[in-house]
Each structure stands twice: as C-alpha cells, then as structure tokens.
Amino acid sequence: MKRLITLSRRDPELPPFSAELAGRRRRVLDLPLIGWLTLIWVLLWSTLTWANIITGAVVAVFVSLAFPLPRVDLGLRLHPWGIVVLAGSLLYDMYTSGVKVTRQIFTGYPHRPAVIAVQLRCRSDLMMAAIAVSVSNTPGGSVIEVRRATATLFLHVLDADQPAALEAARRSVWRLERLTVRAFGTRDEIERVAGRPPDQGTGDPANPGDRGEEPDRGRDDEGRNGT
Amino acid sequence: MRVWTQFTDTLGAALVFTGAAICLLGVIGMLRLPDVLSRSHAATKPQTLGLLLVLAGVALRLRSGMDLATLALIGFFQLMTSPVASHLVARSAYRTGQIEHAELLIDDLDEQLTERAPEPEPEPGPGTD
C-alpha cells in the first residue's frame, strides 16, 4: 500500500527533512523551506493565529510545488555561537563602514579605486554567496564579480592608495570568510578555512606557481586559465 | 514606568533621526562620487546602516512581539537583497564598459575577462548554475 505522504525518516533514499507526495510524478517537499515560508507569511500578517499558520502552510506547499528548486545539498549548518559572533562583527563593521564611506564622500580628495581579486578557501556555492553578502555589507569593498570555478571574488575597493590598503582589504575578506563559515558551514569547510589564506600558503593545487609578491601589481600575472 | 516609556520613545526617535540622516548621507555620496562603482558603495552601505537604525528606532517605539519580528524580517531582507542589487549593477556596469579603466589603480578582473575571451574554458563541475 502506498502512503499519501512519505517522510524521510521512513525512506532513507529521500534527502533529510523532506517528505514525498504520492502521485504520478515524484514530488519532494523540503520541510525546513516550508517552515521558513510559513514563518514569513505569519510575520507578514503580524498576527499569530491558527488561521494564519494554516493558510501560510498551504501557500508554502503550493509555492514550493509550483516553483520547485533544484535538488542540491546546500551544506547549510547552523552554529548558534558562530552566528552571534558573525552578527556582532557585521554590525560593528557596518558602523565603521558607514563612517568610512561618509568620510570619503566629504573629504573629496582624489581617491584611487582599484579592482582586486581575492581567492577564497572554501568552494561550496552557498558559502561563497554568504561570504559575498557579508563582504558587501562591510568596509573594504563591494563585490563586482564572482568566479565560481576558482572561488574568486572580485572586489572594488574605494581607497587603494597604498598597497597596505589592498592587503588590509584581502585580510578582512579572509576574516569574514572564517566567521561566515564558522556560522553556517559544514565541519569540512570549517577545517578548510582554519588553514592559511591561499595567497600565502604554497600547497594549493588549484593555483600553481608563485603569486609575485611585488606590492603594487597585485597577484594577477599568473593566468589561471592557462593551466 | 512612565519615565521608562518616555525614555524609550525619545531614544527611538533619536535612532530614527540618525538613520534618516545616514540615508541622506548616502544620497549625497551618490551625487558626489565620480563613477558607478564608487557610487554603488555610497548607495548600499550607508543605506543599510541607516535602515537598520530606523528599524531599531521603530522597534523601540512599537514594543510588541509580532511587530518586532516583522521588523527583524525587514532588516534580514535588506541585508540579503541590497548586496545582490549592488553586485548586479556593478557587474553589468563593468561588462558594458561603463568604467573609467584609467581611473583604476589595479584591475585584476579586466585581464581575466580579456584573457578569457578567445578560448572560453570549459566549466568544471556539474552545470548547476
């Protein structure tokens, strides 16, 4: 006898925390996603009643059936303490970032912007997106381009007069990477970001060759497309 | 109790005012800065900070649970969406040549894009873009 709804606890083939609906076509519901959509629905109505919760769940199921997402393992883990640290750091950075941008607006001296590439250590898509969002909210740069194949962020830095400023921007990206992965990453990713940044280490197989340490030219002389 | 209410009301008003002033600074920055990429800095960062301050001020005046949660939701979506918007603007500005390349001190991306043009590298990994 086929059940109407199969939970992933009963069926090890399903991804964790999901339910399968019986029917001609295979439809899998992601339960945390439905919970999150229901929560947003209730918050949008601003009143916590059973009617809101039930209509929210119905709308969430409908939405996730009508617009199915690709089945990927996001690799999202929640580490509460890491999230607190990340949030505090982001708030502080946002304050200093606001002050810094304001000063740059009003001092009016000719600043020299630059576009730099920063190599990340973690490779998962979700982590890269989270890092890009964190970086955009802090001083140091706004993200112009993300290259997924090599996990490289391209940042626009407002004040790049000295090479030290560029180095500081890179270091702040790596610090945010560590904080973000410690808040949301899998154990594997956390171990990976505990290592040294890829520019300084030598054992990264994805980036052969040395990076050219001259401070004013950056590290882009090695074409990574040539390999 | 009454003193406390008045205190939070005043603090909330001060926060709303500060947030609005910071948003205004962002707008002034958009007018003063020279090019698209610099302007996107001014458009996103002070705006986000200002909006969060406004939300905090409103939260101090509203003081009810569900409203606070709604405000938190607004802040969350602001944090999530504004970097995406600025990234898309910056990316399309860069790719359509709206950038003064002479103004940039260092440009790592330009070489990669021009280098990439003759032979596009095959995308490694599953094509889940």
Side-chain angles (χ1 to χ4, degrees):
Chain A
M1 182 189 128
K2 195 153 169 57
R3 291 171 188 278
L4 198 63
I5 294 177
T6 314
L7 291 178
S8 60
R9 260 186 305 162
R10 300 214 177 86
D11 188 351
E13 283 190 8
L14 288 174
F17 303 114
S18 60
E20 184 181 10
L21 297 186
R24 274 174 302 154
R25 290 172 55 194
R26 190 156 186 265
R27 291 167 179 279
V28 177
L29 292 177
D30 192 9
L31 293 184
L33 178 67
I34 288 181
W36 169 237
L37 289 176
T38 310
L39 178 70
I40 291 180
W41 177 269
V42 172
L43 287 182
L44 287 178
W45 284 104
S46 278
T47 44
L48 184 65
T49 58
W50 282 109
N52 266 343
I53 294 176
I54 292 170
T55 48
V58 169
V59 169
V61 169
F62 174 76
V63 165
S64 48
L65 286 182
F67 306 101
L69 292 171
R71 286 181 57 190
V72 289
D73 180 21
L74 281 177
L76 175 68
R77 310 283 183 275
L78 300 177
H79 306 285
W81 175 243
I83 292 176
V84 170
V85 173
L86 177 69
S89 162
L90 273 184
L91 281 181
Y92 175 73
D93 278 352
M94 227 179 285
Y95 167 70
T96 54
S97 152
V99 171
K100 200 172 156 193
V101 171
T102 309
R103 201 186 301 143
Q104 275 159 350
I105 290 167
F106 282 102
T107 49
Y109 75 99
H111 58 272
R112 298 298 306 268
V115 174
I116 59 171
V118 182
Q119 175 82 40
L120 298 179
R121 284 163 288 185
C122 60
R123 291 301 167 99
S124 95
D125 291 345
L126 180 76
M127 284 303 112
M128 278 178 63
I131 292 162
V133 166
S134 318
V135 167
S136 291
N137 279 323
T138 53
S142 56
V143 177
I144 299 181
E145 180 86 42
V146 178
R147 178 143 308 150
R148 181 168 161 261
T150 55
T152 311
L153 289 186
F154 293 90
L155 299 181
H156 181 259
V157 182
L158 259 188
D159 230 348
D161 276 335
Q162 300 101 9
L166 293 183
E167 273 311 304
R170 291 213 175 94
R171 268 200 305 277
S172 102
V173 171
W174 286 321
R175 188 179 65 88
L176 270 179
E177 177 189 26
R178 203 171 57 237
L179 290 176
T180 310
V181 172
R182 278 189 190 157
F184 300 111
T186 57
R187 194 172 294 276
D188 186 35
E189 298 274 351
I190 292 178
E191 274 172 20
R192 192 176 305 180
V193 297
R196 302 172 73 191
D199 266 4
Q200 297 162 16
T202 51
D204 194 347
N207 305 291
D210 69 322
R211 280 296 181 187
E213 289 297 317
E214 63 265 42
D216 58 341
R217 200 52 214 118
R219 31 164 292 239
D220 52 340
D221 296 331
E222 303 280 336
R224 66 170 54 93
N225 295 321
T227 55
Chain B
M1 191 63 205
R2 181 145 180 169
V3 176
W4 178 243
T5 314
Q6 207 164 20
F7 174 71
T8 51
D9 272 357
T10 315
L11 188 64
L15 280 178
V16 170
F17 180 77
T18 318
I22 290 176
C23 287
L24 179 67
L25 286 183
V27 175
I28 296 174
M30 285 193 68
L31 292 175
R32 283 185 63 117
L33 287 173
D35 59 345
V36 181
L37 292 182
S38 308
R39 281 179 177 175
S40 83
H41 280 263
T44 51
K45 287 163 198 187
Q47 297 297 345
T48 309
L49 181 63
L51 186 82
L52 287 185
L53 285 178
V54 168
L55 289 179
V58 172
L60 279 180
R61 296 191 70 125
L62 284 179
R63 293 188 288 264
S64 82
M66 281 314 273
D67 289 336
L68 291 189
T70 310
L71 292 176
L73 194 67
I74 296 173
F76 173 78
F77 278 120
Q78 169 74 15
L79 284 180
M80 286 292 119
T81 52
S82 117
V84 177
S86 95
H87 163 63
L88 282 181
V89 169
R91 180 188 155 104
S92 47
Y94 198 99
R95 299 216 163 196
T96 50
Q98 307 288 320
I99 308 292
E100 293 279 338
H101 287 280
E103 288 287 316
L104 293 175
L105 193 65
I106 297 175
D107 197 345
D108 282 350
L109 181 57
D110 186 35
E111 299 182 9
Q112 297 224 359
L113 282 182
T114 46
E115 203 177 344
R116 201 179 148 91
E119 43 167 3
E121 61 178 338
E123 186 78 15
T128 51
D129 274 353

